[in-house]
């Protein structure tokens, strides 16, 4: 910094540089472009995904100019503060609850926006997932103006055959369009929940004995095993949002807290990852409908899932 009125050589050059840039910008119309950019609302969409449904929905709802950010990548970078005109979150429901990582994220996140929306993807029964998200987010000072759901392919392997699921028309484009229209007009609305749906969720929690404060949080080494069909491609290593997989000289190993997101088992090109049966038949017992059918959203590539979840 200059301490007297004399202009140093460095500051003279700096001023000259600024003058040249402003003339160039004015003549190239850059100023009119930036003022146009400034008027456009800034939207950030945060997402979590195992098989791509939520990433697809996030991209569709983001439109052309929004930032679409993966929650596992934000957690990896320790980034919890976001500011925009509109901030959205898209995630798959697990037992009608958010994935554990999403729950932890929202507890730490500081979301500064005039309009906040959440869109929950699901496959068959949404139950009271909207109220569950409202309770969790409101308690930590991140209340959402809009909470809606969208039905997509159900990737819950224990109950569903992926080959059958992909044939069902769940009217996804129309439903996405409806949500996009709601968001465009900043609709303040929470999708209604019925007493039957609350009851169904209570029954599910009693049956599964899941902790309502946690939801699904498993141990990957107790849930999965790898067969001889493995070709060591390393996809499982890159798609796990917890970085649980490792390629070793003795084959693929996995261990650690598990979101039960199915990114590993669904995205293995060899179908070499299988569920381990639980010893006492407790939930989830490791049975599945069709071990030869696997799913990833048709608009989402394996590379997209790797970019979303890779922890290395
Ligand atoms: C652990 C787990 C639990 C699930 N629980 C439910 C559920 O309670 N109700 C439901 O309709 N779908 C449930 N699903 C299906 C997913 O919510 C649905 O397929 C979602 O769109 C997947 O999103 P993704 O492709 O972004 O991972 C569950 C899936 C998993 C893996
Ligand atoms: S994704 Fe499947 S085939 Fe590839 S390394 Fe992992 S277990 Fe083996
Ligand atoms: S081990 Fe598989 S199911 Fe568990 S968090 Fe990693 S990718 Fe998801």
């Amino acid at each position: 910094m200059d301490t007297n009125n004399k202009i140093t050589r460095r500051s003279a050059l700096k001023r000259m540089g600024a003058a040249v840039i402003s003339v160039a910008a004015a003549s190239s119309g850059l100023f009119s472009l930036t003022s146009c950019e400034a008027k456009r609302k800034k939207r950030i969409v945060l997402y979590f995904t195992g098989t791509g449904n939520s990433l697809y929905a996030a991209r569709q709802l983001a439109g052309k100019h929004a930032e679409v950010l993966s929650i596992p990548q934000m957690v990896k970078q320790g980034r919890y503060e976001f500011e925009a005109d509109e901030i959205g979150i898209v995630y798959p429901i697990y037992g009608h609850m958010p994935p554990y990582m999403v729950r932890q994220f929202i507890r730490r996140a500081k979301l500064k926006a005039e309009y906040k929306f959440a869109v929950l993807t699901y496959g068959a029964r949404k139950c009271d997932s909207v109220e569950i998200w409202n309770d969790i987010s409101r308690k930590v000072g991140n209340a959402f103006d809009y909470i809606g759901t969208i039905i997509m392919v159900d990737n819950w392997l224990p109950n569903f055959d992926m080959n059958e699921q992909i044939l069902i028309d769940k009217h996804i484009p129309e439903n996405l369009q409806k949500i996009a229209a709601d968001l465009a007009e900043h609709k303040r609305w929470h999708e209604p929940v019925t007493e039957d749906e609350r009851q169904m969720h209570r029954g599910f929690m009693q049956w599964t004995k899941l902790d309502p404060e946690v939801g699904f949080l498993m141990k990957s080494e107790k849930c999965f095993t790898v067969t001889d069909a493995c070709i060591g491609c390393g996809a499982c290593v890159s798609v796990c949002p917890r970085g649980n997989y490792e390629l070793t000289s003795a084959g693929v190993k996995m261990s650690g807290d598990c979101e039960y997101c199915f990114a590993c088992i669904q995205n293995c090109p060899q179908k070499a990852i299988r569920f381990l049966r639980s010893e006492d038949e407790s939930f989830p017992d490791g049975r599945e409908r069709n071990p030869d059918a696997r799913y990833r959203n048709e608009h989402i590539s394996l590379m997209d899932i790797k970019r979303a979840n890779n922890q290395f």
Side-chain angles (χ1 to χ4, degrees), residues 4 32 34 36 65-66 96 108 137 196 217 229 232 238 254 280:
N4 56 34
S32 53
T34 36
C36 194
H65 302 286
H96 326 121
R108 290 188 65 179
S137 53
D196 276 357
L217 188 65
S238 309
M254 89 294 284
D280 53 2

Side-chain angles (χ1 to χ4, degrees), residues 220 224 239-242 244-245 257-264:
S220 50
F224 304 108
V239 299
C240 175
R242 287 219 165 234
N244 287 348
Y245 278 81
D257 285 343
C258 167
E259 301 285 332
Y260 222 50
C261 67
F262 293 178
C264 54

